[in-house]
Amino acid sequence: MPQPHESALVRALRGERQDRPPVWFMRQAGRSLPEYRELRVGTRMLDACLTPDLASEITLQPVRRHRVDAAVFFSDIVVPLKLAGVEVHIEPGRGPVFADPVRTASDVDRLTAIDPAAIVEAAAPVREAVQITVAELGDTPLIGFAGAPFTLAAYLVEGGPSKEHLRARGMMHADPASWHRLAGWLAQVSHAFLSVQVAAGASAVQLFDSWAGSLSPADYRAFVAPHSRAALAPLFGTVPTIHFGVGTGPILADMRLIDEGADASGRADAVGVDWRLPLDEAAAILGPDTTVQGNIDPALLTAPWDVLAAHVDDVIARGRAARAHVLNLGHGVPPETDPTVLTRIVARAHGEDG
Ligand code: CP3
């Protein structure tokens, strides 16, 4: 049997074209599954993330049910901040909320005084959850992940979820020195969280810069991309890397995180694309050295099966324009999704849907 590092997912991320794209779903572990909702009763989100048996079981649920080609570690982008001692909780139906928003230069100084190495020391529950999960998964690869510096900052500076992330984007221009100190520190936080998962056995990683699409290309290049690269680049050449954001059409080429400077020491192996940009157009922008991931429109999960199936087939056909393709949604599984629809998409991708 192939090992996880020889799995269809890892091979596609490395650029090997296959007859059928491997498939997994962002937020496949979560509220769309009744078995998840049952397990979560009485346990707060971040407590669940830091309870190894529970986090592992939740990670495995969608693999058993849907037969996806990869597991994605059940955790959250704010977990490493909690491990660093930052006061944060996840409000159901809303998202991450911080007790003390990080808005001024002195707020940034206070936060960045924390040594990111503290995360690695406090990460025992994450390490244990990954180890249990990898042992259970056998041949199926586990994808580890982290939030990218900008997406983390979008929550931290605001103190909670926001639509246009005005405060974080404002800090870039009002106080660039503080912004770069904050984003540089967050890059170390993201990298620490990814490293812990890789060291414990994750076969690939995804950096989520979900809100990068709110930035102008100029701001993305000047204030964000160097920090995302700092988070991910130390892993280049170890496990395959995926870089994902929503609404990133105008910055898609930048999402490869190529260092135009001195020595081109690598790039993200794959770029995740949302539903707005057809994958053949994305492939033309990304070029011959990048795998594409995506991009079934989550809105179509409620359409009649023949409509959705035609859409899935179209996504797969357009994905052939890239060097390789990993089938996914354009963003996370909506909580109200009928899970049987996801199972059927997997079967279709595997050529088993009649
Ligand atoms: O994809 C997976 O299955 C792995 C688990 C995962 C979660 N969050 C679990 C979760 C991953 C990869 C994340 C990443 C994450 N968290 C992102 C980036 C991905 C994206 O969707 O763009 C972001 C922006 C967050 C922040 C966050 N955490 C939000 C916006 C929410 C939703 C709040 C809500 O209730 O609507 C969370 C909570 C969260 N993270 C849930 C899950 C399963 C829901 C918690 C619950 O079950 O009550």
Side-chain angles (χ1 to χ4, degrees):
M1 285 296 272
Q3 296 294 298
H5 65 271
E6 297 158 347
S7 59
L9 175 90
V10 169
R11 285 187 287 128
L13 293 176
R14 294 257 185 242
E16 194 181 313
R17 178 186 291 281
Q18 289 161 84
D19 292 344
R20 301 180 187 285
V23 53
W24 67 284
F25 303 113
M26 292 182 276
R27 245 180 287 143
Q28 63 190 16
R31 284 169 294 180
S32 66
L33 301 184
E35 58 270 35
Y36 168 81
R37 296 195 297 266
E38 197 175 306
L39 265 188
R40 273 291 316 285
V41 172
T43 308
R44 286 179 302 182
M45 174 64 191
L46 293 177
D47 293 336
C49 293
L50 295 173
T51 306
D53 288 343
L54 197 50
S56 176
E57 173 59 20
I58 293 171
T59 303
L60 294 166
Q61 284 177 341
V63 180
R64 289 192 202 110
R65 181 194 265 262
H66 301 310
R67 310 180 64 79
V68 278
D69 294 298
V72 56
F73 183 52
F74 177 78
S75 192
D76 195 81
I77 57 170
V78 299
V79 164
L81 293 168
K82 186 177 167 73
L83 294 176
V86 176
E87 198 180 330
V88 55
H89 68 276
I90 291 182
E91 233 174 70
R94 189 155 173 249
V97 177
F98 290 89
D100 303 305
V102 179
R103 292 187 185 159
T104 64
S106 62
D107 294 339
V108 171
D109 287 343
R110 209 173 313 119
L111 182 69
T112 58
I114 301 172
D115 182 355
I119 294 167
V120 178
E121 280 160 35
V126 172
R127 217 170 280 122
E128 194 183 334
V130 169
Q131 285 165 347
I132 301 170
T133 307
V134 168
E136 289 285 326
L137 281 168
D139 311 329
T140 304
L142 177 69
I143 301 170
F145 74 91
F150 173 68
T151 290
L152 289 174
Y155 289 103
L156 264 172
V157 180
E158 197 71 35
S162 62
K163 272 215 164 67
E164 295 178 343
H165 323 302
L166 288 171
R167 284 193 167 97
R169 294 195 292 114
M171 188 192 283
M172 294 172 189
H173 296 277
D175 184 357
S178 292
W179 165 262
H180 283 298
R181 216 162 43 249
L182 175 61
W185 183 81
L186 288 169
Q188 294 179 59
V189 168
S190 301
H191 177 251
F193 193 47
L194 293 172
S195 304
V196 166
Q197 296 168 73
V198 169
S203 292
V205 293
Q206 175 157 319
L207 188 68
F208 281 91
D209 207 354
S210 301
W211 311 139
S214 70
L215 292 154
S216 71
D219 282 357
Y220 183 74
R221 283 168 204 143
F223 295 105
V224 174
H227 300 294
S228 296
R229 193 170 199 285
L232 209 53
L235 291 173
F236 292 167
T238 61
V239 295
T241 54
I242 311 164
H243 189 203
F244 168 79
V246 180
T248 55
I251 55 167
L252 202 65
D254 302 283
M255 296 284 289
R256 296 174 298 178
L257 300 178
I258 296 173
D259 186 0
E260 306 291 359
D263 61 333
S265 56
R267 56 168 72 200
D269 296 283
V271 170
V273 180
D274 81 0
W275 62 93
R276 292 175 179 88
L277 191 66
L279 288 185
D280 50 339
E281 290 179 35
I285 295 166
L286 292 167
D289 299 318
T290 306
T291 296
V292 297
Q293 176 174 281
N295 69 349
I296 298 168
D297 186 344
L300 267 75
L301 296 173
T302 55
W305 174 249
D306 57 333
V307 175
L308 175 57
H311 174 57
V312 170
D313 292 350
D314 182 59
V315 167
I316 292 172
R318 290 176 190 273
R320 292 199 181 100
R323 68 168 188 179
H325 174 210
V326 175
L327 184 64
N328 204 312
L329 303 181
H331 197 182
V333 174
E336 59 280 8
T337 302
D338 172 359
T340 65
V341 172
L342 299 176
T343 308
R344 199 161 177 196
I345 292 173
V346 176
R348 192 167 188 91
H350 290 165
E352 295 155 1
D353 180 64

